[in-house]
Amino acid sequence: MHQTFDAALEINLLHANQEGADHNRAHFDDWGITCFNVMSSPGAGKTALLERTLAALTHDLTIAVIEGDMTTELDADRLRQYGVPVIAINTGRSCHLDSKMVSGGIHRLAHEYNPAEFDLVFVENVGNLVCPAEFEVGEHAKVALLSITEGDDKPLKYPVMFQEADCLLLTKMDLAPHLDIDVEQIVANVRQINTHVPILPVSAKTGAGLEDWFHWVRAQVHLRQSQPSLSGVL
Amino acid sequence: MHETDMTKALILTVRDWWLSQPERPQISQIHLIVGQFTCVEPASLQFAFEVQTRDTFLAGAKLVIQETPLIAFCHCCQQEYRPEIGIRYACPSCGSPMDDIRSGRELKIDRIEYAAQPAPATVES
Ligand SMILES: Nc1nc2c(ncn2[C@@H]2O[C@H](COP(=O)(O)OP(=O)(O)O)[C@@H](O)[C@H]2O)c(=O)[nH]1
Ligand SMILES: [Mg+2]
Ligand SMILES: [Zn+2]
């Protein structure tokens, strides 16, 4: 018989991913870039929101997109129309982006452009409400989208995403009159798990509410540019 | 399934440890702590682990998963409570939002059990 030994490791399961995320964030900080990780279930309107955002903000901010949620090649082309670099990431069969994939994207961006010229990078994550919340990619803030067509119970069913979110957009508000949905109830459910996240109702179709979102984005970028040592949101 | 990626991450971390051991011991058990307020489903993790460790240095090793419950602390009531995942997270006594999680977010490799024997090939005949 042989003896059994024990080694205490006490290491986070996602240790390697976390290290990669910190590495990515250090690059962003060096270059003075603010990075947002944009997450939602499939079809909640991430690409539509980015289109609107690029149309409105490219006048005063230099923006790039790391696209990890390509239903088709057209998604990236839709965004390229706004004259910004769109780095498409092949996620294979993965249901989320991890820090290594995004690192590949960042290095491509740095290779093809002068990264110090950018103010802002949007990472569009794979459409999924479960996993992306656990895998940091090096972002300064997590932006979650919940379309009001998805039902008011989603924040309760997928709490980690809504708890981790630094900004939450309720999308497709233009559809509210056609739906049997209680927007107040969505907000109340989110508030059970996240007391402070800004909740912004928007419509990428009509443009309603988007000014508040643009305001939040600009404030985050300015905050980080005025205090370069800052990491994470305040 | 992201448990596949979680398992990959787990195996890589354990492998680093194993390679750092001069005698490359035979690992018999890996103990994980997985909180209930994470995106990880223990059964899927267990399954992915079995599939991915076949024919590796971890073949035959057992994954032991200890789940930790979601426990929050209500600052109004000055007491802990157990939110009902998927149903209600606010404090059952006063309705305050869940804003201080005391347990349930863990995703940790706690410890590894291994035999004193080195690789089977070098054992006495
Ligand atoms: N009515 C309405 N439809 C929207 C809105 N935003 C997106 N959509 C539609 O929802 C579908 C999915 O949008 P998309 O941006 O591709 O979602 P993604 O998968 O999260 O990137 C498309 O058919 C969009 O036209 C909105 O604000 N209102
Ligand atoms: Mg998209
Ligand atoms: Zn209470």
Side-chain angles (χ1 to χ4, degrees), chain B residues 74-79 81 91-96:
Chain B
C74 176
H75 285 271
C76 279
C77 303
Q78 285 294 307
Q79 65 180 16
Y81 67 98
C91 170
S93 313
C94 73
S96 294

Side-chain angles (χ1 to χ4, degrees), chain B residues 7-57:
Chain B
T7 308
K8 253 181 232 157
L10 164 69
I11 294 173
L12 283 180
T13 308
V14 175
R15 196 161 173 276
D16 280 350
W17 174 83
W18 184 71
L19 289 174
S20 75
Q21 304 297 303
E23 74 279 22
R24 307 280 156 85
Q26 188 70 46
I27 294 173
S28 54
Q29 299 200 339
I30 300 172
H31 292 257
L32 296 188
I33 298 181
V34 172
Q36 283 178 339
F37 199 69
T38 63
C39 302
V40 174
E41 185 56 57
S44 316
L45 199 64
Q46 202 61 267
F47 176 74
F49 182 81
E50 272 173 48
V51 173
Q52 289 186 39
T53 53
R54 271 177 210 155
D55 305 320
T56 72
F57 73 104

